[in-house]
Amino acid sequence: MGNTELSARELVKRTADELERGSRYSITKEHIQHGSVSVYAHCLSVAEESVRIARIMNLNVDLDSLVRGALLHDYFLYDWHDNPDGRHNVHGFTHPYTALKNAKQDFTLSKKECDIIVHHMFPLVPLPPHSKEAWIVCLADKICATRETLLMRRAAHADSNAV
C-alpha cells in the first residue's frame, strides 16, 4: 500500500516506528512538551495534522519528508522545563537548531526535512520556511501546541472548580 492510501495516523505511526529503530527517538517519550503531552505525542499530532492539512488543501507535497520532518521537528532530547541554571530560558529560539543537530547525528535528512526542522518556529525564529512542507508543519505545530495548551488550561480550570 502506498503512502497516499494510508490514513494520516497509519502513515505517521509507520514512520515513527522506523525512526525509533536504532536511534534516540524513544527519548522523546520521556519529556513533556505542553501540559501533560510528551514530546513524542506532540510530534505524532503535528505529523498527523500536517498530513491532514496537505490532503484537505490538495497540495502536491513530498509526503515522506513532510512526515519525517514533522516527527523530528522537536528532536531536542532534553526536558526544557528542567531549568535550574536558566539555559532553557531561550528554548523557543534555540531548540530548532538543537533538534536539527540531533537529527543529523541520527538520520540522513533530505533538504526539505532540514527546512522543516529548523524553520518550524517561524516567526519566533525569524527565518521563514522555504518549502510547502515546512510551511505546513509550521502551521500544524501552532495548531497542535495551541490545542495542547488550551486542554491543559481547561483541565486546570476544571480542577480548580471542583474544589
Side-chain angles (χ1 to χ4, degrees):
M1 183 182 308
N3 288 345
T4 56
E5 293 88 33
L6 292 173
S7 73
R9 177 157 290 155
E10 291 168 329
L11 176 58
V12 168
K13 184 63 176 138
R14 184 179 76 186
T15 307
D17 289 346
E18 290 169 5
L19 291 177
E20 279 193 75
R21 288 192 286 275
S23 76
R24 298 176 287 170
Y25 198 74
S26 62
I27 293 172
T28 62
K29 295 177 181 178
E30 300 171 11
H31 301 298
I32 297 300
Q33 181 64 315
H34 306 113
S36 61
V37 178
S38 70
V39 174
Y40 180 85
H42 168 73
C43 290
L44 290 177
S45 295
V46 171
E48 288 180 29
E49 190 72 29
S50 296
V51 172
R52 283 193 287 274
I53 290 168
R55 288 179 173 169
I56 288 168
M57 296 182 72
N58 199 29
L59 296 172
N60 181 22
V61 297
D62 177 346
L63 206 51
D64 290 330
S65 289
L66 178 74
V67 172
R68 280 175 49 96
L71 288 171
L72 293 168
H73 82 279
D74 280 341
Y75 196 57
F76 45 83
L77 306 176
Y78 59 81
D79 183 352
W80 64 273
H81 301 90
D82 182 20
N83 195 25
D85 59 1
R87 66 186 169 105
H88 296 315
N89 288 348
V90 292
H91 169 78
F93 299 96
T94 61
H95 81 270
Y97 307 101
T98 304
L100 181 61
K101 180 180 103 349
N102 290 337
K104 282 183 171 181
Q105 288 173 353
D106 292 358
F107 308 102
T108 301
L109 302 175
S110 72
K111 185 176 179 181
K112 284 184 182 179
E113 291 162 355
C114 293
D115 181 31
I116 290 166
I117 296 166
V118 81
H119 295 124
H120 79 274
M121 286 300 291
F122 179 79
L124 187 60
V125 174
L127 302 169
H130 299 148
S131 64
K132 286 184 285 191
E133 293 82 358
W135 278 108
I136 292 167
V137 172
C138 184
L139 174 61
D141 183 46
K142 282 144 187 62
I143 290 168
C144 293
T146 300
R147 184 183 304 134
E148 293 161 7
T149 302
L150 290 177
L151 288 175
M152 172 183 65
R153 289 186 183 188
R154 186 179 310 155
H157 180 70
D159 288 345
S160 68
N161 286 338
V163 175

